[in-house]
Amino acid sequence: FPSHDTQAYYINKELVMVNNDTDSRLSTHEEVCAIRYEQINARLKRLEQILLGTAGFVIVFLLTQLSK
């Protein structure tokens, strides 16, 4: 029988015993990953803005050179 520091979950109709320590470590890992995911999204958004600005500048520059 499970001890007091163990929790039971059903995964795909199968009873899985999870130690509370493992559960807390997993929760911490999920929180850290969520923070990293937000940071990655922020960096990607900034990079996208830089690339769009650069592409716009190049297009305008080429159009001005074409009209000379």
Side-chain angles (χ1 to χ4, degrees), residues 1-64:
F1 285 93
S3 64
H4 67 284
D5 64 340
T6 303
Q7 292 178 342
Y9 296 98
Y10 282 97
I11 301 175
N12 296 331
K13 298 181 181 179
E14 210 174 296
L15 182 63
V16 177
M17 307 307 282
V18 178
N19 190 333
N20 280 342
D21 180 51
T22 303
D23 193 38
S24 66
R25 288 177 46 211
L26 180 61
S27 295
T28 303
H29 174 76
E30 289 173 344
E31 292 172 12
V32 169
C33 284
I35 293 169
R36 288 179 183 166
Y37 184 74
E38 289 174 6
Q39 291 174 344
I40 290 169
N41 279 339
R43 288 180 179 184
L44 287 174
K45 185 175 181 178
R46 183 173 180 268
L47 182 60
E48 182 182 15
Q49 290 173 346
I50 291 170
L51 288 173
L52 285 174
T54 303
F57 173 78
V58 168
I59 290 170
V60 169
F61 177 75
L62 290 175
L63 288 174
T64 58

